[in-house]
Amino acid sequence: MRTRQRLSLLTVAAMIGVTGCSQGTESTESTAEQNVAATTSCAANGELTMWERSGGNKDMVDMLVAAWNTKNPDCKIALTYIPHTEMVGKIAQGIASGQVPDLMGMDLIYAPQFEKAGQLVDLTDRIRAWPELATASSGHMTVATYDQRLYGVPLYADVSALFYNKDLFKKAGLDPAKPPASLSELRSYADRITALGGDVKGYYLPGNCAGCNIFTVGPLMWASGAKIEAAGPGDEPLVGDGVKQVLQFERDMVKAGNVHDGDRTENGETFHLQFGSGKVGMMGTGNFNITLARQQNPGMDFGIALLPGVAPNSSASFIGGDLVVVPKGSKRVNDAVNFMKFLLSDDVQVEVYAKALNLTTRSDMVDNKYFQAEPLVQDVAKALTVGRTPYTLTFFEQINSPQGPWLKMLQRAYYSDDDLDTVIADAKKEMKEIAAKS
């Protein structure tokens, strides 16, 4: 969620919808080829091509591909990174022309659009019986499914959680073993940390980043019983008292001086660097910040808790990350499926994901020797149990667009005195209009 897609997905949808009838992109595999049992090795010899977006978890993807290449020297993967802002358009153009990679990583939030357009290979008959899928990240598998058909598996997972600076907690007279379990506690703790003075603030709020806010403020609404996006035509967005309650909470945080003035211009470019500065008491961010914060500030003591809601002990998280999918036109579907099997294998989950202190993409792999030695990873992994991923064909237009109704609503709530009921009603109207066109 750190860098966001700026290409209009409605334009891309039109492109792939038109090209979806192209016969040149259809799979030519026989039924026998489709029924080959998956392994974690080569199905055929020869180099495989893979595209992945920039701006994601590059280090993790590099390690996964390197592990596959070490195990399978006869079918190594040649990995190419595509600028994140160009990825969706390049995929659509490649499918239209038949110039596609054998497999690719895809920001999970955009998968439903390509699934609906028929531009990904339906893998249901190949993978639905895999026992590993029973514990695969639920957020990933939700968006990997369209019309009860499966199109991919998790490549890596990002989850949001509440990071808190234990050093500042101690200075403010707070118990570092007791993070806030409700929004009222979060506000109270922020007030006390801000009161320390200097350049320290109790809270961080990215004021100009739609993606950062759905990743960190969205869960506060979910934990408070709210629904945010419209799933499709006729569906009602911004439902529940939690929407207004959270907007009021954030407005009050800003007015109380609990956030730095510069937070208002944060567009996501430096979002991941804020907590490690040591000047923020509490911040919604992602599992990627464990390593980053330690690199930035090795002496800082910090903890991780779930993002809370209005009611005590309520919580939620945004599950983000990427899927591995196969574009229509791939000539190496069996090898692509074998790579998916490889990713979900016990050994790779523990000896690649967990060893690198990245989240495993299977919940039954969380209890491993590497996480046991690193309590913070265990803490952030708890977010997988309360996490969700929005499912809509217009996620960019409704939520992630810098000009979209989600960010406009948040900025009016944070930085103006506009009536919140009016602010919500305006955003609701625009979201419904967008969803009606999907």
Side-chain angles (χ1 to χ4, degrees):
M1 305 308 295
R2 281 158 278 172
T3 311
R4 295 291 87 192
Q5 179 62 260
R6 289 171 171 80
L7 178 65
S8 169
L9 294 186
L10 286 177
T11 301
V12 174
M15 182 190 306
I16 60 180
V18 170
T19 60
C21 298
S22 171
Q23 296 300 313
T25 62
E26 294 299 320
S27 173
T28 58
E29 290 189 308
S30 66
T31 301
E33 288 174 312
Q34 293 177 14
N35 291 334
V36 173
T39 70
T40 60
S41 303
C42 302
N45 291 340
E47 184 178 82
L48 292 163
T49 56
M50 178 178 177
W51 290 354
E52 168 61 1
R53 65 185 174 108
S54 65
N57 195 339
K58 181 180 185 299
D59 291 343
M60 186 72 257
V61 177
D62 286 346
M63 283 186 277
L64 292 166
V65 170
W68 168 270
N69 289 347
T70 298
K71 184 179 186 298
N72 297 293
D74 294 328
C75 57
K76 289 184 176 181
I77 292 174
L79 178 61
T80 299
Y81 284 95
I82 310 298
H84 186 77
T85 54
E86 301 173 13
M87 185 68 170
V88 173
K90 186 170 179 65
I91 293 169
Q93 292 164 1
I95 291 170
S97 66
Q99 302 298 311
V100 297
D102 298 308
L103 67 160
M104 60 190 183
M106 173 178 281
D107 189 339
L108 83 174
I109 210 69
Y110 300 127
Q113 184 166 353
F114 281 86
E115 293 159 4
K116 181 183 180 184
Q119 298 306 308
L120 302 180
V121 175
D122 182 346
L123 304 174
T124 309
D125 295 338
R126 299 170 184 271
I127 71 174
R128 64 180 164 190
W130 290 1
E132 299 92 339
L133 294 184
T135 57
S137 165
S138 60
H140 287 71
M141 297 313 299
T142 295
V143 293
T145 305
Y146 180 77
D147 198 20
Q148 299 183 324
R149 308 300 291 178
L150 290 171
Y151 292 89
V153 303
L155 177 58
Y156 65 84
D158 284 335
V159 296
S160 55
L162 183 72
F163 281 52
Y164 64 101
N165 187 319
K166 290 186 175 183
D167 296 329
L168 295 179
F169 265 51
K170 293 173 187 175
K171 289 180 180 179
L174 298 167
D175 186 344
K178 294 182 178 179
S182 67
L183 291 185
S184 62
E185 286 188 352
L186 184 56
R187 169 63 194 276
S188 174
Y189 292 9
D191 287 345
R192 292 178 65 171
I193 293 170
T194 298
L196 294 172
D199 197 27
V200 169
K201 295 293 183 181
Y203 188 59
Y204 184 80
L205 187 64
N208 195 34
C209 177
C212 306
N213 277 278
I214 192 63
F215 192 54
T216 60
V217 175
L220 305 184
M221 294 183 180
W222 292 333
S224 303
K227 174 178 174 289
I228 298 173
E229 77 287 351
D235 192 36
E236 192 76 10
L238 301 175
V239 175
D241 294 340
V243 176
K244 184 177 180 180
Q245 290 168 331
V246 170
L247 293 180
Q248 186 66 60
F249 164 81
E250 301 291 9
R251 174 177 282 183
D252 291 344
M253 281 290 222
V254 173
K255 288 191 172 186
N258 282 329
V259 301
H260 290 96
D261 291 340
D263 296 358
R264 183 168 181 170
T265 61
E266 175 62 69
N267 64 1
E269 293 299 322
T270 63
F271 171 76
H272 58 295
L273 302 176
Q274 300 306 315
F275 185 72
S277 70
K279 298 177 181 179
V280 175
M282 296 170 289
M283 173 179 175
T285 183
N287 50 284
F288 49 83
N289 248 141
I290 295 175
T291 300
L292 282 172
R294 285 190 169 149
Q295 291 171 346
Q296 285 179 266
N297 199 339
M300 183 176 69
D301 186 16
F302 63 97
I304 300 173
L306 298 176
L307 289 162
V310 172
N313 301 312
S314 57
S315 58
S317 173
F318 187 107
I319 298 178
D322 278 24
L323 294 169
V324 182
V325 297
V326 184
K328 277 289 184 70
S330 168
K331 298 177 178 62
R332 301 286 293 278
V333 179
N334 283 339
D335 280 301
V337 169
N338 285 1
F339 181 65
M340 295 179 186
K341 187 76 169 177
F342 174 81
L343 295 178
L344 292 172
S345 67
D346 291 7
D347 185 61
V348 170
Q349 289 285 307
V350 174
E351 296 300 328
V352 183
Y353 287 98
K355 187 176 182 179
L357 298 183
N358 276 271
L359 287 178
T360 60
T361 59
R362 285 172 47 195
S363 60
D364 59 328
M365 293 287 105
V366 170
D367 186 13
N368 61 73
K369 59 185 178 181
Y370 300 109
F371 287 8
Q372 289 167 5
E374 178 46 273
L376 288 179
V377 179
Q378 293 183 57
D379 289 339
V380 79
K382 294 174 184 175
L384 288 169
T385 64
V386 297
R388 66 177 73 179
T389 304
Y391 192 107
T392 173
L393 300 177
T394 54
F395 183 83
F396 177 79
E397 289 79 11
Q398 287 190 65
I399 304 295
N400 257 14
S401 170
Q403 292 80 41
W406 167 249
L407 186 58
K408 286 191 288 187
M409 177 185 75
L410 297 179
Q411 290 178 329
R412 288 177 68 189
Y414 299 166
Y415 308 120
S416 81
D417 292 319
D418 292 355
D419 176 72
L420 288 180
D421 289 326
T422 301
V423 170
I424 294 168
D426 290 346
K428 185 192 293 275
K429 179 177 181 291
E430 191 171 349
M431 285 182 173
K432 291 174 71 173
E433 288 172 352
I434 292 169
K437 299 175 184 176
S438 63

Short mmCIF file of all heavy atoms in Angstrom, two decimals, residues 354-378:
data_model
loop_
_atom_site.label_atom_id
_atom_site.label_comp_id
_atom_site.label_asym_id
_atom_site.label_seq_id
_atom_site.Cartn_x
_atom_site.Cartn_y
_atom_site.Cartn_z
N ALA A 354 9.78 -16.97 6.59
CA ALA A 354 9.97 -16.74 8.02
C ALA A 354 11.42 -16.43 8.37
O ALA A 354 11.69 -15.58 9.22
CB ALA A 354 9.50 -17.96 8.81
N LYS A 355 12.35 -17.09 7.72
CA LYS A 355 13.77 -16.84 7.99
C LYS A 355 14.13 -15.39 7.71
O LYS A 355 14.97 -14.80 8.39
CB LYS A 355 14.64 -17.77 7.16
CG LYS A 355 16.12 -17.71 7.50
CD LYS A 355 16.92 -18.73 6.71
CE LYS A 355 18.39 -18.69 7.09
NZ LYS A 355 19.17 -19.73 6.33
N ALA A 356 13.49 -14.80 6.70
CA ALA A 356 13.73 -13.39 6.36
C ALA A 356 12.85 -12.45 7.20
O ALA A 356 12.85 -11.24 6.97
CB ALA A 356 13.46 -13.16 4.88
N LEU A 357 12.12 -13.01 8.16
CA LEU A 357 11.21 -12.25 9.02
C LEU A 357 10.11 -11.55 8.23
O LEU A 357 9.63 -10.48 8.60
CB LEU A 357 11.97 -11.24 9.89
CG LEU A 357 12.98 -11.84 10.87
CD1 LEU A 357 13.60 -10.75 11.72
CD2 LEU A 357 12.33 -12.92 11.75
N ASN A 358 9.72 -12.18 7.12
CA ASN A 358 8.53 -11.76 6.40
C ASN A 358 7.38 -12.67 6.83
O ASN A 358 7.59 -13.81 7.24
CB ASN A 358 8.74 -11.87 4.89
CG ASN A 358 9.42 -10.67 4.31
OD1 ASN A 358 8.78 -9.71 3.92
ND2 ASN A 358 10.75 -10.70 4.26
N LEU A 359 6.17 -12.16 6.73
CA LEU A 359 5.01 -12.96 7.11
C LEU A 359 4.90 -14.19 6.23
O LEU A 359 5.08 -14.13 5.00
CB LEU A 359 3.73 -12.14 6.98
CG LEU A 359 3.49 -11.07 8.03
CD1 LEU A 359 2.20 -10.32 7.71
CD2 LEU A 359 3.42 -11.66 9.42
N THR A 360 4.59 -15.31 6.84
CA THR A 360 4.23 -16.48 6.04
C THR A 360 2.85 -16.22 5.44
O THR A 360 2.05 -15.46 6.00
CB THR A 360 4.19 -17.74 6.92
OG1 THR A 360 3.21 -17.57 7.95
CG2 THR A 360 5.54 -18.02 7.55
N THR A 361 2.58 -16.83 4.32
CA THR A 361 1.27 -16.63 3.69
C THR A 361 0.30 -17.75 4.04
O THR A 361 -0.82 -17.76 3.54
CB THR A 361 1.41 -16.52 2.15
OG1 THR A 361 2.01 -17.72 1.65
CG2 THR A 361 2.26 -15.31 1.78
N ARG A 362 0.74 -18.66 4.91
CA ARG A 362 -0.13 -19.68 5.48
C ARG A 362 -0.17 -19.49 6.99
O ARG A 362 0.88 -19.41 7.64
CB ARG A 362 0.38 -21.08 5.14
CG ARG A 362 0.15 -21.53 3.72
CD ARG A 362 0.87 -22.85 3.43
NE ARG A 362 0.66 -23.86 4.46
CZ ARG A 362 1.40 -24.97 4.58
NH1 ARG A 362 2.40 -25.20 3.73
NH2 ARG A 362 1.15 -25.83 5.55
N SER A 363 -1.35 -19.46 7.56
CA SER A 363 -1.48 -19.19 8.99
C SER A 363 -0.92 -20.31 9.85
O SER A 363 -0.49 -20.08 10.98
CB SER A 363 -2.94 -18.94 9.34
OG SER A 363 -3.75 -20.06 9.03
N ASP A 364 -0.91 -21.55 9.34
CA ASP A 364 -0.40 -22.66 10.13
C ASP A 364 1.12 -22.71 10.16
O ASP A 364 1.71 -23.56 10.84
CB ASP A 364 -0.96 -23.99 9.62
CG ASP A 364 -0.61 -24.26 8.17
OD1 ASP A 364 -0.49 -23.30 7.38
OD2 ASP A 364 -0.44 -25.45 7.81
N MET A 365 1.78 -21.80 9.47
CA MET A 365 3.23 -21.75 9.46
C MET A 365 3.78 -20.65 10.36
O MET A 365 4.99 -20.43 10.43
CB MET A 365 3.74 -21.53 8.03
CG MET A 365 3.49 -22.70 7.09
SD MET A 365 4.58 -24.11 7.42
CE MET A 365 3.44 -25.23 8.23
N VAL A 366 2.90 -19.96 11.07
CA VAL A 366 3.34 -18.84 11.92
C VAL A 366 4.16 -19.33 13.11
O VAL A 366 5.10 -18.65 13.56
CB VAL A 366 2.11 -18.04 12.41
CG1 VAL A 366 2.50 -17.04 13.48
CG2 VAL A 366 1.46 -17.32 11.23
N ASP A 367 3.84 -20.49 13.62
CA ASP A 367 4.57 -21.03 14.76
C ASP A 367 5.82 -21.74 14.27
O ASP A 367 5.84 -22.95 14.05
CB ASP A 367 3.67 -21.99 15.55
CG ASP A 367 4.33 -22.47 16.84
OD1 ASP A 367 5.35 -21.87 17.24
OD2 ASP A 367 3.83 -23.44 17.43
N ASN A 368 6.90 -20.97 14.10
CA ASN A 368 8.15 -21.52 13.60
C ASN A 368 9.31 -20.96 14.40
O ASN A 368 9.16 -19.99 15.16
CB ASN A 368 8.32 -21.22 12.11
CG ASN A 368 8.36 -19.73 11.82
OD1 ASN A 368 9.35 -19.05 12.10
ND2 ASN A 368 7.27 -19.19 11.26
N LYS A 369 10.49 -21.55 14.25
CA LYS A 369 11.64 -21.19 15.08
C LYS A 369 12.09 -19.75 14.87
O LYS A 369 12.57 -19.10 15.81
CB LYS A 369 12.80 -22.14 14.81
CG LYS A 369 13.30 -22.15 13.36
CD LYS A 369 14.37 -23.21 13.15
CE LYS A 369 14.82 -23.26 11.69
NZ LYS A 369 15.86 -24.31 11.48
N TYR A 370 11.91 -19.21 13.67
CA TYR A 370 12.35 -17.84 13.41
C TYR A 370 11.42 -16.83 14.06
O TYR A 370 11.87 -15.84 14.65
CB TYR A 370 12.44 -17.60 11.90
CG TYR A 370 13.41 -18.53 11.22
CD1 TYR A 370 12.96 -19.56 10.38
CD2 TYR A 370 14.79 -18.42 11.44
CE1 TYR A 370 13.84 -20.42 9.77
CE2 TYR A 370 15.68 -19.29 10.82
CZ TYR A 370 15.20 -20.30 9.99
OH TYR A 370 16.10 -21.15 9.39
N PHE A 371 10.12 -17.06 13.97
CA PHE A 371 9.17 -16.15 14.61
C PHE A 371 9.22 -16.28 16.13
O PHE A 371 9.01 -15.31 16.85
CB PHE A 371 7.75 -16.42 14.11
CG PHE A 371 7.48 -15.95 12.71
CD1 PHE A 371 8.50 -15.47 11.89
CD2 PHE A 371 6.19 -15.99 12.19
CE1 PHE A 371 8.24 -15.04 10.60
CE2 PHE A 371 5.92 -15.57 10.89
CZ PHE A 371 6.95 -15.09 10.09
N GLN A 372 9.49 -17.51 16.62
CA GLN A 372 9.60 -17.70 18.06
C GLN A 372 10.75 -16.88 18.64
O GLN A 372 10.69 -16.42 19.78
CB GLN A 372 9.80 -19.18 18.38
CG GLN A 372 8.56 -20.02 18.14
CD GLN A 372 8.83 -21.51 18.14
OE1 GLN A 372 9.95 -21.95 18.41
NE2 GLN A 372 7.81 -22.30 17.84
N ALA A 373 11.78 -16.68 17.84
CA ALA A 373 12.92 -15.88 18.28
C ALA A 373 12.71 -14.39 18.06
O ALA A 373 13.53 -13.58 18.48
CB ALA A 373 14.19 -16.33 17.54
N GLU A 374 11.61 -14.02 17.42
CA GLU A 374 11.32 -12.62 17.11
C GLU A 374 9.88 -12.31 17.49
O GLU A 374 8.97 -12.44 16.66
CB GLU A 374 11.58 -12.34 15.63
CG GLU A 374 11.28 -10.93 15.17
CD GLU A 374 11.83 -9.86 16.09
OE1 GLU A 374 11.14 -9.50 17.06
OE2 GLU A 374 12.96 -9.42 15.86
N PRO A 375 9.64 -11.92 18.73
CA PRO A 375 8.26 -11.70 19.19
C PRO A 375 7.49 -10.67 18.38
O PRO A 375 6.27 -10.78 18.24
CB PRO A 375 8.46 -11.21 20.64
CG PRO A 375 9.79 -11.75 21.05
CD PRO A 375 10.62 -11.74 19.80
N LEU A 376 8.17 -9.66 17.82
CA LEU A 376 7.45 -8.64 17.06
C LEU A 376 6.77 -9.21 15.83
O LEU A 376 5.68 -8.80 15.45
CB LEU A 376 8.39 -7.50 16.67
CG LEU A 376 8.84 -6.57 17.80
CD1 LEU A 376 9.80 -5.52 17.27
CD2 LEU A 376 7.65 -5.92 18.48
N VAL A 377 7.42 -10.17 15.19
CA VAL A 377 6.79 -10.80 14.02
C VAL A 377 5.59 -11.61 14.46
O VAL A 377 4.55 -11.64 13.78
CB VAL A 377 7.81 -11.67 13.25
CG1 VAL A 377 7.14 -12.33 12.05
CG2 VAL A 377 8.98 -10.83 12.79
N GLN A 378 5.69 -12.28 15.59
CA GLN A 378 4.54 -13.01 16.11
C GLN A 378 3.38 -12.05 16.38
O GLN A 378 2.23 -12.36 16.10
CB GLN A 378 4.92 -13.72 17.41
CG GLN A 378 5.93 -14.84 17.25
CD GLN A 378 6.19 -15.56 18.56
OE1 GLN A 378 5.28 -16.07 19.19
NE2 GLN A 378 7.44 -15.57 18.98
#
